[in-house]
Amino acid sequence: MAKRFGGTYSPGGDPRPADQRSEAPSVKRVVQKRLNPVGARVNLLFAMPFLWAFSAFFRDPAGLAQHLGVFALLMLSAWLTREGVIAQDAYDQRRVARRPAIPRKLFAAVTMGLGLGLAGWGSAWGLVTPIILGVLGAALHLTAFGMDPMRDKGMEGIDEFQTDRVARAVEGAEAHLKAMSDAILRARDRKIEDRLNTFQAHVRDLLRAVEDDPNDLTAARRYLGVYLQGAQDATVKFVDLYARERDPKAREDYVALLDDLEQNFMLRTESLRANDRQDLDIEIDVLRERLEREGLRPPATH
């Protein structure tokens, strides 16, 4: 069978000596890159208000105030829409999630309607034009971007206190991961960014395992808090140094740190899932014995 050559100086090759490569555990790294939820439609909302901003300075004082008011309302609507889309994406990515505390997309639709209604103020049709523009603008916004999630997800039939703890822990872990992703961009090193994405994929595997069984939160709390906070701090310090000096030793040390952390997160995830399977087997055995005692299930034949 053909084998891909991956020497020290090959593209994407391992820079370590050959005698050290065999000692490292093999890890299959599969990274699913997530698309940025803020797309062209949202960016277009930020460009549209400038039509009123530019035209405002060619109006009388009343028209200036009106157009600047439209600009402010539409910019607020665009900002709320962007934040609402990001919150929706975070909600969709999680199995256990609380609904957003503020329905940003709904407020964005209302603000859009107010802005367009103000734009139509003073027309020859009186109040008819601003009402039509306002209702149409809000309706089109809701059609394009939808409503915010209005209910919690994955919390039905489970202890509310426990699932709330899990939701807070996952939100905190995602905040650490986002801070790391934002910081690593300053390093301007695509391979380092990919390596961090791989590590974050394994962290999210642990998050999904905790969401599947909230009782695992206690065993994973140190990983989701202390370890991720340490990884975030190390990432920021590495970027500050590497952006100035491009020190290869600092880069090597940072990659080694990610390797160690990744192995620990993978082992913890596997341990939690193994315990979950063991607990399930025990529950099934107990249930079978109870059914046999009550005569609801024929005894097992060997």
Side-chain angles (χ1 to χ4, degrees):
M1 183 175 61
K3 182 178 180 181
R4 184 180 182 274
F5 178 75
T8 302
Y9 302 102
S10 300
D14 193 337
R16 294 173 296 179
D19 58 344
Q20 296 181 9
R21 293 178 208 155
S22 59
E23 300 175 0
S26 59
V27 178
K28 184 179 181 181
R29 295 169 181 167
V30 179
V31 181
Q32 297 179 350
K33 293 188 177 181
R34 295 170 55 187
L35 298 177
N36 190 338
V38 180
R41 293 182 303 165
V42 178
N43 294 329
L44 182 62
L45 293 181
F46 283 94
M48 184 175 64
F50 286 95
L51 296 175
W52 280 270
F54 292 144
S55 63
F57 299 98
F58 300 96
R59 304 280 177 172
D60 56 21
L64 173 68
Q66 179 186 10
H67 279 234
L68 290 181
V70 173
F71 170 78
L73 288 171
L74 294 184
M75 286 297 289
L76 177 60
S77 175
W79 178 78
L80 287 171
T81 302
R82 184 187 64 185
E83 296 302 312
V85 168
I86 293 174
Q88 173 86 56
D89 179 69
Y91 178 90
D92 292 338
Q93 292 295 327
R94 301 172 189 169
R95 297 180 184 176
V96 178
R98 292 176 294 181
R99 66 182 183 274
I102 301 175
R104 298 175 180 85
K105 290 195 288 184
L106 177 59
F107 288 170
V110 173
T111 310
M112 172 73 72
L114 292 176
L116 294 181
L118 180 60
W121 185 266
S123 67
W125 294 87
L127 291 177
V128 176
T129 300
I131 291 176
I132 292 177
L133 289 177
V135 172
L136 185 61
L140 289 177
H141 187 283
L142 290 175
T143 301
F145 298 100
M147 286 285 293
D148 305 88
M150 293 299 180
R151 64 177 61 184
D152 298 334
K153 181 173 67 171
M155 299 186 179
E156 297 82 1
I158 306 178
D159 179 30
E160 183 177 353
F161 174 74
Q162 187 75 347
T163 53
D164 191 62
R165 290 176 62 223
V166 170
R168 288 199 302 268
V170 171
E171 288 173 2
E174 289 286 357
H176 289 311
L177 295 180
K178 184 178 186 303
M180 294 170 67
S181 297
D182 293 341
I184 206 66
L185 294 177
R186 294 188 286 115
R188 297 184 178 181
D189 188 321
R190 185 60 179 271
K191 290 185 177 180
I192 287 292
E193 292 178 23
D194 291 341
R195 183 65 191 88
L196 180 61
N197 288 336
T198 303
F199 165 69
Q200 291 181 334
H202 290 293
V203 174
R204 289 191 171 97
D205 285 342
L206 179 60
L207 296 181
R208 301 295 87 81
V210 173
E211 287 177 334
D212 288 340
D213 187 354
N215 293 322
D216 291 337
L217 177 60
T218 302
R221 180 175 292 279
R222 180 180 296 272
Y223 289 81
L224 305 185
V226 177
Y227 289 174
L228 281 186
Q229 180 64 62
Q232 176 185 336
D233 295 340
T235 300
V236 172
K237 291 179 181 178
F238 161 72
V239 170
D240 291 340
L241 176 63
Y242 192 69
R244 294 194 310 265
E245 304 178 6
R246 315 301 290 184
D247 184 0
K249 181 62 168 59
R251 187 182 189 277
E252 180 182 348
D253 291 342
Y254 179 67
V255 171
L257 173 65
L258 291 181
D259 289 339
D260 292 340
L261 287 173
E262 183 178 276
Q263 288 294 326
N264 280 278
F265 273 86
M266 290 175 61
L267 291 174
R268 174 54 61 181
T269 303
E270 293 174 1
S271 175
L272 293 180
R273 287 177 173 163
N275 290 337
D276 291 342
R277 287 193 295 269
Q278 183 178 4
D279 293 341
L280 177 60
D281 292 339
I282 293 174
E283 290 291 339
I284 292 175
D285 291 340
V286 171
L287 180 58
R288 283 175 177 171
E289 292 178 1
R290 181 174 299 174
L291 291 176
E292 290 178 3
R293 287 198 305 267
E294 296 180 1
L296 299 178
R297 179 179 183 270
T301 58
H302 300 282

